[in-house]
Amino acid sequence: MALNKNTILSHSEIEHKIRRIAYQIYESNVNESEIVIAGIDSNGYVLAKKIKHQLDKISEINSILCKVTIDKKTPTNPIKTSIKSEDYTNKSLVLIDDVLNSGSTLIYGIKHFLDVPLKQFKTAVLVNRNHKKYPVKADFKGISLSTSLFEHVHVNLSKQPYEAFLD
């Protein structure tokens, strides 16, 4: 059975979406001196690095990058972060993933960060699908798609040209 590959975002469109998300994050944190950009391993972390790079270019805000490791098959397992909780306590934090599908990865990531007091908490995704099992939303999103449950969104950010496609 051959899979049909439909490009939903080209390389230049992904770069534009990353810049736009960085500006939205900046606008919602314009009065902050520091912000934590937390990316869910693996593609979410790659996206977080790219957003941080854009944010550093457009603002004076000190952005701290954090890798969030979640077992996506068993998200109730302990979650690990590359920085200590003291480093994000009472700070503004944006949790980033590449695709919001059922919402389970994002909701467990949110739950982890709610164990410490935060100044502000937002979420960002490149692709927002409308198949949520959990009441979670992306505050910043590159694109929203209505897809069937049988379709899968693939995001390639590891090598250029970047692309997002549906099969």
Side-chain angles (χ1 to χ4, degrees), residues 83-97:
I83 62 175
K84 298 184 297 268
S85 62
E86 301 84 55
D87 295 334
Y88 52 82
T89 300
N90 294 316
K91 295 202 172 105
S92 183
L93 186 139
V94 180
L95 182 61
I96 299 171
D97 204 2

Side-chain angles (χ1 to χ4, degrees), residues 126-137:
L126 182 62
V127 180
N128 182 33
R129 294 183 68 196
N130 297 317
H131 299 296
K132 295 176 200 67
K133 290 193 291 190
Y134 298 94
V136 63
K137 72 175 184 72

